[in-house]
Amino acid sequence: QAMARLSHPHVVAVHDVGEFEKTPFIVMELVEGKDLHQVPPRSLPVIVDLAGQICAALEHAHSHGIVHRDLKPENVLVGPDGVAKLVDFGIARSMASRLTGEGQIAGSVFYLAPELALGQEFDGRADLYSLGVMLYELTTGALPFSAGDPLAVVSQHVHATPVPPQAKNSAIPPRLDDLILRLLSKRPEERPDSAAAVQQALE
């Protein structure tokens, strides 16, 4: 239902839902291509372009009151034409709701915004944090926070200061380095206000 409310060139369309022999199903748009985890882009101009497309999709979702909450490379499909499509709103929630339940952490731990990890109120800026993690990973080839234990990764999201991406890849321009670090701010109010603002900065 969350996905069906969205109609955007960078969001995979939902055509129908139903049930067959007591098994629910979703009929979705077929996207030819691979996800960003399977085929990560290497050049900075392509990375910036794809991030801009993701921002356009997020701005559309957020304007409809929907936060994705599981933004990661596996959930961005890129077709042969270079068009990105945001998929898997499986844990998407209205901005008016809270986390899925007491003690549950939604989303993939490596891309999880601190406020989601702590079960606090959230809005679209939680997705912007995840976008910052993705941009960090795509531009440096490494995650800003990693550990063998998921709880250790969560603790880093909440407490640790990331190494500036430019320290890992000197080709990253200062303005892009600054944008990524702003997206990774622990406090939502210190991040850009909206996906549209991020898209404008990327342009």
Side-chain angles (χ1 to χ4, degrees):
Q1 287 179 335
M3 289 187 70
R5 290 168 57 186
L6 307 179
S7 177
H8 191 273
H10 296 301
V11 177
V12 168
V14 170
H15 299 303
D16 197 10
V17 296
E19 193 172 290
F20 178 73
E21 295 181 353
K22 298 185 179 180
T23 301
F25 65 85
I26 303 174
V27 182
M28 299 168 65
E29 170 189 6
L30 174 65
V31 179
E32 302 286 354
K34 297 187 176 180
D35 65 53
L36 287 182
H37 179 70
Q38 292 173 307
V39 186
R42 299 302 179 192
S43 78
L44 286 175
V46 173
I47 292 169
V48 169
D49 175 67
L50 289 171
Q53 295 183 52
I54 295 168
C55 284
L58 290 176
E59 181 65 24
H60 179 71
H62 297 166
S63 70
H64 284 74
I66 294 170
V67 183
H68 190 285
R69 299 203 309 160
D70 195 23
L71 183 62
K72 56 186 177 181
E74 290 89 338
N75 285 340
V76 179
L77 301 179
V78 182
D81 54 1
V83 174
K85 297 265 189 179
L86 188 55
V87 303
D88 197 359
F89 281 76
I91 62 167
R93 287 290 182 274
S94 162
M95 293 186 195
S97 71
R98 293 182 68 88
L99 214 54
T100 48
E102 192 68 34
Q104 293 182 323
I105 293 178
S108 299
V109 69
F110 292 112
Y111 305 89
L112 190 67
E115 60 269 29
L116 291 180
L118 294 169
Q120 298 173 344
E121 297 287 345
F122 63 90
D123 58 21
R125 290 172 295 185
D127 287 339
L128 299 186
Y129 181 91
S130 302
L131 177 65
V133 178
M134 285 177 54
L135 274 170
Y136 192 107
E137 181 181 23
L138 292 172
T139 57
T140 69
L143 288 160
F145 307 117
S146 61
D149 178 6
L151 287 178
V153 178
V154 169
S155 178
Q156 290 175 19
H157 281 303
V158 175
H159 301 293
T161 301
V163 175
Q166 201 176 41
K168 297 185 177 182
N169 179 2
S170 60
I172 297 173
R175 288 176 66 186
L176 180 57
D177 183 80
D178 178 66
L179 176 62
I180 293 170
L181 290 174
R182 284 177 60 211
L183 289 167
L184 291 176
S185 296
K186 307 299 183 191
R187 295 159 57 90
E189 56 268 28
E190 294 175 357
R191 298 173 207 150
D193 290 336
S194 65
V198 179
Q199 186 176 8
Q200 187 175 14
L202 289 166
E203 289 172 354

